[in-house]
Amino acid sequence: MKKLFLLLTVAASSFAANAQNTPANANNKYGGENGAAKKFIWSLGIEPSIPIGNFHEYSGFGLGGSLMGEYKPGRLGITMNAGFIDYFGKSNESFDYPDFKYIPVLAGLKYYMSPNAFLHAQAGPGFGTNGLGTSFWYGGGVGFNLGKSADIELKYTGWKQNEVGSSNDNGGGNGPGGNPYEPPGGSPYGGHYSTIDLRLAVKF
């Protein structure tokens, strides 16, 4: 999975480099074509993700999708993003973690450094399933417009996962008392989780 993520990143960087060489008269406003800037844009994206830090102990790879709306009158864009992502659980010390599934709803700001390159910061609630609760998500990244119909963004995402343990027992799992995320011994866990993500999107 890591090799796939690396290949996607390298391919995306190549496409971004080509996009940066687009003639100025083909896209001479921020996000607009031939001087006619489009002020509202929808995009539908697929998002492979690599957990890092503490979260990597419980999941090795994630995959999700998102729908984003962007109001963009000029260099600064305002975004609203809703999606779903599944971080696939892995075996750790003879315990099989189930998938970590979240529904993040994030508001953000995009700053266009050029017609083809932007910085993007986002924050908002992430709604976890299966007893994971709701947490505050935040992140930022750098992206490139790949022509008028696609873009790519490499980003960091972080959140504080609420403590998961016997007090949050929702039954039906393979941990003590039925909690699906509680490892043998019954010790609750939580803390700061982080990921590196790649969003590949089509715009319409």
Side-chain angles (χ1 to χ4, degrees):
M1 291 296 186
K2 289 183 178 179
K3 290 182 179 179
L4 174 61
F5 188 81
L6 180 60
L7 288 173
L8 286 172
T9 304
V10 172
S13 299
S14 178
F15 280 127
N18 290 334
Q20 289 285 44
N21 292 328
T22 301
N25 61 359
N27 191 5
N28 56 8
K29 282 197 174 184
Y30 294 88
E33 184 179 13
N34 298 325
K38 190 175 181 180
K39 290 189 176 181
F40 197 89
I41 296 172
W42 291 101
S43 67
L44 187 63
I46 183 171
E47 302 190 25
S49 178
I50 296 293
I52 59 176
N54 182 46
F55 192 29
H56 186 66
E57 296 180 18
Y58 314 119
S59 174
F61 185 74
L63 185 64
S66 62
L67 176 67
M68 181 185 295
E70 178 183 358
Y71 174 66
K72 184 175 52 177
R75 277 183 178 261
L76 192 65
I78 301 171
T79 65
M80 179 61 71
N81 183 35
F84 173 81
I85 188 159
D86 185 347
Y87 295 103
F88 307 115
K90 68 179 185 179
S91 296
N92 186 17
E93 296 181 357
S94 301
F95 181 75
D96 295 329
Y97 286 95
D99 291 2
F100 295 75
K101 300 177 182 180
Y102 297 93
I103 303 171
V105 180
L106 309 176
L109 291 174
K110 274 187 180 182
Y111 175 72
Y112 285 85
M113 300 176 289
S114 75
N116 292 321
F118 59 84
L119 300 175
H120 190 195
Q122 294 178 283
F127 302 98
T129 68
N130 212 14
L132 291 172
T134 301
S135 49
F136 177 72
W137 286 42
Y138 64 93
V142 59
F144 300 93
N145 288 323
L146 308 178
K148 64 180 181 179
S149 61
D151 66 26
I152 185 169
E153 182 178 350
L154 182 64
K155 59 183 180 176
Y156 165 88
T157 302
W159 68 97
K160 186 181 185 302
Q161 171 59 52
N162 299 329
E163 187 175 89
V164 180
S166 58
S167 62
N168 292 338
D169 187 355
N170 57 4
N174 55 357
N179 189 303
Y181 296 96
E182 189 178 343
S187 299
Y189 68 93
H192 187 267
Y193 289 173
S194 303
T195 62
I196 299 296
D197 317 304
L198 188 67
R199 185 176 191 262
L200 301 165
V202 292
K203 299 182 289 186
F204 52 94

